[in-house]
Amino acid sequence: MQSRTRLSATAWLMTRDTHIAEDIFQNVAIKAMTVNSKFENKAVLVSWCLVTLRHECLDWLKKSKRELPLLDNQTLELIDAQWELSSSVTTGSKLDILRDCMSSAGAEVQTIMRMRYFENLSCTEVASRLGTNLTTVYKRLSRAHMGLKACVERKLPIGASE
Amino acid sequence: MTASHVLTDDQLVLLLKLLDGNCTAAQRHSALELIQANPHAKEILISISEQSILIADIHRMAADNYSGAPISELTSSSAKVLPLLLAIAAGLLIAASIGWWLNAFADRRALIAQVTGMNGAVLWTGDSGQILNSIRVGQKLTGGTLESLTPDAWIEIAFNDGSQVSISGNSRVTFSDLGHKQLHVHNGAISADVRKQAADHPMLVHTNTATFEVLGTQLLVQSEIASSTLSVIEGAVKATRISDNQSINVPAQHRVIAAYDQQLIPQKLPDAINNWRSALNSGSQGCYGKWKPASSDQHASLGTIPFNFKLPSGQVLNLFVAAFEPSFDNRPPIKVLSDSAITVRAQMSSPQYLWCGVTMQHSNGEFAGKFQLMHPTTQEFKNNVPFELKLKLNDFQLDPSLESLKRGLPPTPADLYVESIWFHTLEQNAGLELFEVRVSVD
């Protein structure tokens, strides 16, 4: 997986808001382009971006009076290490594949994913909006994620899947 | 991957609960252990987080009628830094083109404040005239006009020096910071917690009838067409009435009403009361809705009015709302106790679920949450037959849309002060008419 999605996704794991994650990614990108440091290679730059991004996320959580991140530093480091092992599929390709998978996923999956990740509703709010209970929402969301994951992996170029 | 690494359904749900911020300390501990021990759990977490970002991308593009051009990527094929930076720049340009332009655009202007909390229908008009209904917590703002559109709407911003201003109810405020901060309260109510300002650059709060000079204090301002009320919680504020340029200093725990037909004299803030009763027979002041005077066969009533709000997703939400602001016109604040209740006499033309809610504030005017209760359709609701409901405020739950802020908000309305009481039905007009609303202590 590539840097833009990786950075934004890391920000999402900390803020759990896709729009805020995108904003923070943009702020970090601007800083990366204007910082007075020379990065020896891409790995150093990505590493710098990740550290800066985590600080930006923590700042945002404090400023917006949100609760502290649910994942501790150690867990984030482990996830990051796993990310390093992931595929080199571009965001553009993966986005196209995911769009295909979403369009064939059915209205229920599309609705719940939109509410949760575009409208950034909590699962409680999704349950309230759909007139169902929280457990059902978690189960539907779980099925939707696993279905999309399997679909994306089927459609990825050979050798690119995790 | 071994079979033992494959997650069970329960483990998947546990991860989703963790990401939803909805698990107990023990569940969080289990989830973190699972993530640390199981490579598949890490893989799933990565997959979910990537999907969340990409799904948001897809919907932003759809919302902006994006043409479908491919998203740029930060490639890993080169070990050189420049391509990565160029790719980041390309990513930024694409992000701007898909409509998530605001921060990048605003960074080139004077960003003077940031949204630190919000809920409900809020509009922001920036200094280029762009109207946005999709502002969000964390967003940085240039000067502009904020409007909270419904009785239950609320937004809080923080200026760069940490001074906080919150706007609630049906209110409209223009703010700027060109050397010194200025707020123009066109209508409605604000509360502000102002950091110490330079003596020669006080914050200026303008209303239709007065200007208030603030050097660092907590205050509330309510602005109406012909009068405005300043309540000072801490510190002191200089108030100048526009009609005759008369000025006074208003000390802490005092208020002043600036109107051409009233004396400009500070008065001690009134003590809170615990019981309140609407007075629809006396008129529609302090009400939001369609007021009807009493007739020979019916009491005065307050009907709902439709409010349509477009969500960022494009979905239109239709609410039919009626509301009361019990402390309008300088009435004493209502303090809710643990055994307080709201009693409503009303009728509906087509029985539907009824939401009753209260917007609460702390004694200093700071937003303290919205609490609501949904009353299902029952036999009490018959076509155009008056009913009476008594709703215990302890049964009211924090509005689910405030879930992310709940740790900073009180869990119940007890010991807080009522800002507004509202009733609504959703999607369809149920012809709700309120005859009387009471707050009382059992």
Side-chain angles (χ1 to χ4, degrees):
Chain A
M1 195 55 212
Q2 289 304 288
S3 305
R4 183 259 163 171
T5 308
R6 178 179 167 187
L7 289 166
S8 296
T10 301
W12 180 80
L13 283 173
M14 294 183 73
T15 62
R16 290 173 291 130
D17 182 312
T18 50
H19 303 319
I20 297 299
E22 187 61 23
D23 282 355
I24 289 174
F25 161 72
Q26 290 186 24
N27 286 343
V28 171
I30 288 169
K31 282 186 180 174
M33 287 187 287
T34 54
V35 72
N36 284 328
S37 297
K38 288 187 176 177
F39 301 103
E40 289 173 13
N41 53 44
K42 185 210 159 198
V44 175
L45 173 59
V46 171
S47 175
W48 180 91
C49 283
L50 280 167
V51 171
T52 307
L53 183 119
R54 284 186 202 168
H55 285 147
E56 291 253 332
C57 289
L58 289 172
D59 278 353
W60 180 83
L61 288 165
K62 278 180 199 163
K63 279 181 188 164
S64 59
K65 299 178 185 171
R66 303 283 176 110
E67 57 200 31
L68 288 173
L70 294 165
L71 303 177
D72 53 31
N73 255 340
Q74 188 191 355
T75 311
L76 285 169
E77 294 289 344
L78 287 169
I79 291 170
D80 220 50
Q82 181 93 9
W83 237 310
E84 285 288 333
L85 303 172
S86 297
S87 72
S88 59
V89 179
T90 63
T91 296
S93 307
K94 209 158 192 175
L95 190 68
D96 290 340
I97 293 169
L98 188 69
R99 188 188 282 119
D100 279 351
C101 292
M102 282 282 283
S103 61
S104 57
E108 187 183 82
V109 170
Q110 290 175 18
T111 302
I112 201 166
M113 293 303 227
R114 188 196 68 236
M115 287 180 173
R116 181 78 180 99
Y117 300 116
F118 181 60
E119 296 179 30
N120 286 306
L121 299 179
S122 68
C123 290
T124 306
E125 291 169 286
V126 173
S128 163
R129 190 81 77 77
L130 294 176
T132 187
N133 64 50
L134 189 57
T135 307
T136 305
V137 169
Y138 283 131
K139 284 182 179 168
R140 285 185 193 170
L141 207 54
S142 166
R143 278 202 300 273
H145 276 300
M146 297 315 290
L148 286 176
K149 183 174 187 291
C151 175
V152 169
E153 284 173 0
R154 271 199 310 275
K155 295 188 177 193
L156 280 175
I158 294 170
S161 59
E162 289 120 332
Chain B
M1 182 172 305
T2 64
S4 63
H5 285 152
V6 175
L7 299 192
T8 64
D9 289 348
D10 286 347
Q11 286 172 324
L12 276 172
V13 168
L14 182 64
L15 291 182
L16 288 171
K17 281 187 173 177
L18 177 75
L19 294 172
D20 189 29
N22 187 23
C23 55
T24 62
Q27 285 173 327
R28 179 176 180 264
H29 183 71
S30 302
L32 292 180
E33 273 189 347
L34 177 68
I35 295 164
Q36 288 174 13
N38 189 325
H40 195 47
K42 288 192 271 289
E43 206 178 278
I44 295 289
L45 213 56
I46 287 171
S47 176
I48 291 172
S49 59
E50 288 178 353
Q51 284 179 19
S52 72
I53 292 298
L54 295 175
I55 285 165
D57 281 350
I58 288 170
H59 285 286
R60 276 184 216 129
M61 290 175 193
D64 288 22
N65 296 317
Y66 182 68
S67 65
I71 295 279
S72 287
E73 180 48 276
L74 313 183
T75 67
S76 64
S77 57
S78 168
K80 293 181 180 174
V81 169
L82 184 59
L84 177 58
L85 291 178
L86 289 173
I88 289 174
L92 285 174
L93 289 172
I94 297 283
S97 74
I98 63 176
W100 215 249
W101 51 270
L102 188 66
N103 272 353
F105 179 71
D107 278 347
R108 292 195 293 273
R109 297 166 179 275
L111 292 170
I112 61 170
Q114 184 169 22
V115 179
T116 51
M118 64 170 289
N119 187 252
V122 175
L123 275 186
W124 181 65
T125 307
D127 59 3
S128 59
Q130 182 82 20
I131 295 176
L132 289 179
N133 66 358
S134 56
I135 56 174
R136 60 196 184 282
V137 173
Q139 187 158 337
K140 293 170 186 169
L141 301 176
T142 62
T145 298
L146 280 170
E147 292 176 74
S148 57
L149 301 174
T150 54
D152 64 335
W154 159 77
I155 182 164
E156 181 185 76
I157 60 168
F159 283 97
N160 291 341
D161 71 348
S163 295
Q164 292 189 315
V165 176
S166 77
I167 299 154
S168 56
N170 294 94
S171 303
R172 187 159 63 95
V173 176
T174 301
F175 63 97
S176 62
D177 190 353
L178 299 168
H180 54 188
K181 299 172 187 63
Q182 298 204 47
L183 301 172
H184 290 259
V185 188
H186 305 288
N187 62 276
I190 66 155
S191 68
D193 186 351
V194 182
R195 294 285 168 87
K196 193 167 177 57
Q197 307 292 297
D200 54 344
H201 285 87
M203 176 191 274
L204 298 178
V205 182
H206 306 278
T207 67
N208 296 327
T209 58
T211 297
F212 306 122
E213 292 178 39
V214 186
L215 286 172
T217 182
Q218 286 187 352
L219 70 151
L220 311 172
V221 173
Q222 186 148 11
S223 177
E224 292 170 26
I225 294 171
S227 71
S228 49
T229 305
L230 163 73
S231 301
V232 180
I233 311 298
E234 282 180 17
V237 176
K238 181 181 175 187
T240 302
R241 185 162 58 188
I242 292 173
S243 59
D244 58 3
N245 213 30
Q246 186 187 345
S247 293
I248 55 163
N249 282 318
V250 183
Q253 294 301 310
H254 283 70
R255 72 179 183 185
V256 69
I257 300 166
Y260 82 98
D261 57 353
Q262 294 195 37
Q263 285 191 312
L264 196 68
I265 298 174
Q267 302 163 335
K268 198 170 178 313
L269 288 176
D271 292 331
I273 56 174
N274 303 122
N275 296 296
W276 171 83
R277 182 191 292 262
S278 64
L280 286 168
N281 282 330
S282 307
S284 61
Q285 270 197 308
C287 300
Y288 176 91
K290 189 176 177 183
W291 179 74
K292 281 188 201 165
S295 63
S296 56
D297 58 349
Q298 202 171 53
H299 295 291
S301 66
L302 187 68
T304 56
I305 51 177
F307 179 76
N308 309 314
F309 184 64
K310 196 172 182 182
L311 298 170
S313 61
Q315 184 189 349
V316 176
L317 202 60
N318 299 304
L319 297 176
F320 294 86
V321 189
F324 296 88
E325 290 180 20
S327 298
F328 80 99
D329 199 21
N330 306 304
R331 308 283 167 94
I334 302 170
K335 186 175 184 179
V336 162
L337 304 177
S338 58
D339 48 359
S340 293
I342 289 178
T343 305
V344 55
R345 275 198 305 112
Q347 70 179 31
M348 281 196 235
S349 57
S350 58
Q352 287 177 28
Y353 284 19
L354 174 66
W355 275 263
C356 173
V358 285
T359 302
M360 306 301 291
Q361 56 188 18
H362 294 285
S363 57
N364 63 1
E366 189 184 335
F367 177 76
K370 293 189 329 186
F371 300 85
Q372 63 177 21
L373 185 72
M374 190 270 287
H375 198 280
T377 307
T378 67
Q379 289 184 340
E380 293 153 296
F381 299 167
K382 290 177 183 160
N383 289 359
N384 291 324
V385 176
F387 60 84
E388 183 167 299
L389 287 178
K390 188 169 188 178
L391 309 167
K392 290 184 177 175
L393 275 156
N394 248 358
D395 295 334
F396 282 44
Q397 303 286 320
L398 191 67
D399 185 327
S401 62
L402 292 169
E403 180 77 13
S404 59
L405 298 175
K406 72 177 178 187
R407 289 198 178 181
L409 294 173
T412 72
D415 298 323
L416 299 171
Y417 297 82
V418 177
E419 182 180 326
S420 63
I421 303 171
W422 35 272
F423 300 84
H424 73 76
T425 57
L426 199 57
E427 294 304 336
Q428 289 178 348
N429 188 1
L432 175 67
E433 287 197 75
L434 307 168
F435 300 116
E436 186 180 70
V437 176
R438 296 193 301 273
V439 177
S440 58
V441 181
D442 280 346

